[in-house]
Amino acid sequence: MENIEALREEVLAEVEKAADLAALEDIRISALGKKGRITGLMKNLGKMDPDQRREFGQALNAVKDQVASALDMRKGDLENAALEARLTGERIDVTLPSRPSETAGRIHPISQTIDEIVSIFGEMGFALAEGPDIEDDFHNFTALNIPPEHPAREMQDTFYLPEGEDGSRLVLRTHTSPVQIRTMQSKTPPIRIIAPGRTYRSDSDMTHTPMFHQVEGLVIDKKTHMGHLKGCLLEFVKTYFELDDVPVRYRPSFFPFTEPSAEMDIGCSRKGGELKIGAGDDWLEILGCGMVHPRVLAACGLDPEEYQGFAFGMGIERIAMLKYGIPDLRTFFDTDLRWLKHYGFVPLDVPNMVRG
Ligand code: 2NL
């Protein structure tokens, strides 16, 4: 009997001292396991005479129950302590920024691209200029040295509004150039502006949508020359495509509103059907540009003997497709939420030098 009493004290003391759940499990096995000390004493019962067995058996069972419930209690305490330690260790840092919401809206790639372009030219000192989508004939065509018989003025190409009382017909602007015309009319040089926005042409197929976006730039001062044009545009393509250096070339071209006129290409490679911008032996057309035609300056009330400058224009969808790998132009305007979720931009994304 002293044996049992001593064992009870010993095991209960061990349980009380168990430092963690693993230690407690070891104690349980050493006392109540198949080869445990209490289990071992149980096996002795068979060798005893009936009276002794009853007394010894009852005492042993009582010890067994006491040890089992002490193990249970200690287990509960240790589990609580472990949880408490975790909760203290894993405290939430409320100063962290929130995660972007899965259900929040996305910035359309066109808006994103406009923001990037405006920001890049903004760094070079260009101001943002905007104007109406509905224009008159003078600002959309005449001031730009586009003659009355020019095909761009045809009904098939341009959206005309119903005739006004004076017989004039307004148009949906076919380029953002009217914005620059209005700026030249209302401001005295130096002028440095970037004019992005919606433009419209009566055209719809694989590579044309009736509404699309353009960005044009204009610099007018007394001595602005083609070297300034090349410097600005090189700086732009390097920053926009996030490249340290980009090969560029200028090919002679024609626009009624510039003289001379040029198209700018950037170096690329098309090996294996994959387009890579910034290196290789191939060329990719990016934009049109030139020195503002003296007749355009004169039409805006600027003396071509005093002022000169350069202008350029590019299609936003096209350069957005090139940078972000969007294969089909028409998907820009399908208003497909799955598309927007894939190609759109998270408003609170990590800012950088290009995207702001
Ligand atoms: C292109 C080419 C160009 C301009 C736009 C312009 C505007 C004024 C005066 C002179 Cl007010 N020029 N804009 C000049 C050259 C090219 O756009 O391919 N656009 C998509």
Side-chain angles (χ1 to χ4, degrees):
M1 287 301 260
E2 292 91 79
N3 233 345
I4 296 181
E5 188 53 28
L7 183 58
R8 186 181 82 101
E9 294 303 327
E10 196 184 318
V11 175
L12 288 180
E14 280 178 17
V15 168
E16 208 47 52
K17 271 192 267 169
D20 53 37
L21 290 166
L24 193 67
E25 178 64 4
D26 288 345
I27 296 163
R28 188 190 64 79
I29 291 167
S30 82
L32 303 175
K34 264 193 190 135
K35 293 176 185 161
R37 283 174 287 173
I38 293 174
T39 319
L41 290 178
M42 291 282 191
K43 287 175 187 161
N44 291 341
L45 291 174
K47 294 175 223 153
M48 296 177 180
D49 62 59
D51 281 350
Q52 202 187 2
R53 184 189 302 154
R54 186 175 333 108
E55 193 189 347
F56 197 82
Q58 271 174 6
L60 200 54
N61 266 327
V63 170
K64 196 182 137 190
D65 290 349
Q66 272 183 30
V67 167
S69 79
L71 280 166
D72 265 1
M73 267 183 55
R74 185 72 188 141
K75 191 171 177 220
D77 287 350
L78 287 172
E79 280 170 352
N80 282 342
L83 180 64
E84 197 59 43
R86 253 188 80 186
L87 288 175
T88 320
E90 295 177 5
R91 201 166 290 175
I92 295 165
D93 181 354
V94 294
T95 65
L96 288 172
S98 62
R99 291 193 181 86
S101 160
E102 273 299 297
T103 53
R106 297 292 158 100
I107 293 169
H108 195 282
I110 293 291
S111 307
Q112 172 74 23
T113 304
I114 290 175
D115 290 351
E116 290 177 23
I117 295 168
V118 168
S119 144
I120 294 167
F121 281 102
E123 288 283 314
M124 288 191 257
F126 288 65
L128 175 69
E130 288 175 304
D133 285 21
I134 297 172
E135 272 293 0
D136 55 42
D137 185 88
F138 177 79
H139 291 93
N140 196 76
F141 294 123
T142 310
L144 285 152
N145 192 36
I146 298 171
E149 67 283 357
H150 195 279
R153 288 176 178 256
E154 298 277 321
M155 287 286 294
Q156 292 105 292
D157 296 322
T158 302
F159 289 115
Y160 284 90
L161 274 73
E163 212 170 277
E165 274 165 25
D166 60 356
S168 70
R169 300 198 86 178
L170 295 173
V171 301
L172 293 182
R173 66 181 183 193
T174 59
H175 37 207
T176 51
S177 314
V179 178
Q180 343 247 70
I181 297 296
R182 289 178 182 280
T183 306
M184 285 191 277
Q185 285 178 314
S186 62
K187 298 236 157 61
T188 315
I191 291 170
R192 270 189 232 98
I193 54 162
I194 189 87
R198 295 184 171 192
T199 49
Y200 307 82
R201 282 182 207 173
S202 185
D203 214 343
S204 186
D205 57 38
M206 278 274 286
T207 53
H208 298 87
T209 49
M211 188 278 301
F212 56 103
H213 298 77
Q214 253 198 349
V215 58
E216 288 199 18
L218 176 75
V219 175
I220 305 287
D221 207 339
K222 294 196 168 162
K223 290 182 171 154
T224 302
H225 54 70
M226 209 116 177
H228 298 124
L229 175 156
K230 291 170 73 177
C232 281
L233 294 181
L234 179 62
E235 180 65 21
F236 165 70
V237 290
K238 285 202 295 189
T239 315
Y240 178 74
F241 289 108
E242 297 174 37
L243 296 162
D244 290 333
D245 210 10
V246 191
V248 299
R249 73 172 183 189
Y250 292 86
R251 285 175 293 110
S253 185
F254 175 82
F255 304 108
F257 28 85
T258 46
E259 182 60 36
S261 305
E263 319 253 13
M264 188 180 92
D265 297 345
I266 58 175
C268 70
S269 100
R270 291 177 226 260
K271 281 204 189 78
E274 210 205 331
L275 180 71
K276 214 174 142 267
I277 288 167
D281 44 21
D282 227 338
W283 295 100
L284 183 70
E285 186 181 323
I286 285 292
L287 54 82
C289 55
M291 298 304 293
V292 178
H293 198 292
R295 279 199 215 127
V296 175
L297 293 169
C300 298
L302 296 176
D303 179 2
E305 296 297 326
E306 189 179 1
Y307 295 114
Q308 59 184 39
F310 68 83
F312 57 89
M314 67 191 132
I316 293 175
E317 283 78 1
R318 181 172 156 73
I319 67 156
M321 287 164 83
L322 288 172
K323 179 162 175 179
Y324 294 113
I326 302 170
D328 183 351
L329 168 78
R330 293 166 303 176
T331 59
F332 277 103
F333 312 115
D334 281 344
T335 63
D336 178 343
L337 280 175
R338 281 168 56 221
W339 183 90
L340 192 58
K341 198 165 177 159
H342 183 76
Y343 288 111
F345 293 83
V346 178
L348 297 176
D349 233 346
V350 186
N352 68 30
M353 274 301 288
V354 178
R355 287 170 210 146

